[in-house]
């Protein structure tokens, strides 16, 4: 039986986290990893105890939903809340990070970003990542579990 690569494993975790999203515009998940160990996860949604977009709709300001906290920010804030060091960590995200999340990733000291899907990849985010020497790599996501089950059934 073929094992998932570490990249596939952590990306699958990000997609699982995304299933908790309460955003009606885009479903995103993020997993922060240090030394091959998951230290935090996040998905895009409202603040704890706040109204959700799925219940009350998006609260749009200048073309962005102000109700939603991005998955990357939620994962980084989870590290802050529970005292997990992000310096030198890696983040796996279902979609390419926006400029604001890019800045937070850099400030958190995260050294590598792995994403599954392109989404409004802003050139300034790319420029910031390059200037900060943050490695950015696309890791396309397939439902690896379903693929493994299908392979087993063929045998």
């Amino acid at each position: 039986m073929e094992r998932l690569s570490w990249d596939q494993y952590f990306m699958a975790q990000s997609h699982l986290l995304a299933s908790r999203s309460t955003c009606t515009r885009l479903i995103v998940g993020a997993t922060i990893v240090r030394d091959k160990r998951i230290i935090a996860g996040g998905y895009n949604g409202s603040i704890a105890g706040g109204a959700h977009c799925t219940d009350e709709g998006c609260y749009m300001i200048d073309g962005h939903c102000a109700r939603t906290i991005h998955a990357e920010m939620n994962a980084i804030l989870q590290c802050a809340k529970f005292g997990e060091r992000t310096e030198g960590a890696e983040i796996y995200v279902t979609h390419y990070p926006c400029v604001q999340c890019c800045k937070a990733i850099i400030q958190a000291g995260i050294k590598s970003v792995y994403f599954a899907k392109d989404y409004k990849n802003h050139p300034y985010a790319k420029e910031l990542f390059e200037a900060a020497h943050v490695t950015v790599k696309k890791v396309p996501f397939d439902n690896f579990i379903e693929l493994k089950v299908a392979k087993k059934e063929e045998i």
Side-chain angles (χ1 to χ4, degrees):
M1 185 162 133
E2 185 180 329
R3 292 176 73 187
L4 293 177
S5 70
W6 285 112
D7 286 347
Q8 292 170 331
Y9 174 74
F10 295 128
M11 192 58 74
Q13 177 67 32
S14 293
H15 279 80
L16 181 62
L17 283 159
S19 70
R20 291 277 307 151
S21 173
T22 60
C23 178
T24 56
R25 298 177 73 220
L26 186 66
I27 294 170
V28 181
T31 304
I32 299 178
V33 174
R34 190 178 59 247
D35 301 323
K36 302 286 188 251
R37 183 177 67 86
I38 296 170
I39 60 172
Y43 52 88
N44 58 334
S46 301
I47 60 169
H52 296 286
C53 298
T54 51
D55 298 329
E56 298 190 16
C58 293
Y59 184 49
M60 301 299 290
I61 298 175
D62 297 328
H64 299 281
C65 180
R67 193 181 309 279
T68 301
I69 300 172
H70 291 187
E72 301 93 323
M73 295 294 278
N74 264 333
I76 291 167
L77 292 169
Q78 189 178 80
C79 287
K81 185 175 183 177
F82 295 107
E84 285 289 343
R85 181 177 54 84
T86 54
E87 185 70 35
E90 303 169 310
I91 190 167
Y92 289 80
V93 190
T94 57
H95 295 75
Y96 192 88
C98 71
V99 172
Q100 295 304 320
C101 287
C102 163
K103 292 189 281 186
I105 288 165
I106 292 167
Q107 286 300 99
I110 293 172
K111 67 176 181 176
S112 300
V113 175
Y114 301 95
F115 69 100
K117 296 177 187 170
D118 293 303
Y119 181 74
K120 299 182 181 180
N121 302 24
H122 199 283
Y124 187 54
K126 182 180 179 196
E127 182 182 325
L128 289 172
F129 281 140
E130 287 174 357
H133 305 289
V134 172
T135 302
V136 179
K137 179 182 173 190
K138 188 171 187 176
V139 177
F141 177 75
D142 295 313
N143 190 332
F144 304 110
I145 296 166
E146 283 182 14
L147 292 174
K148 282 186 148 197
V149 170
K151 277 185 180 180
K152 262 185 146 175
E153 289 174 354
E154 289 175 6
I155 298 173

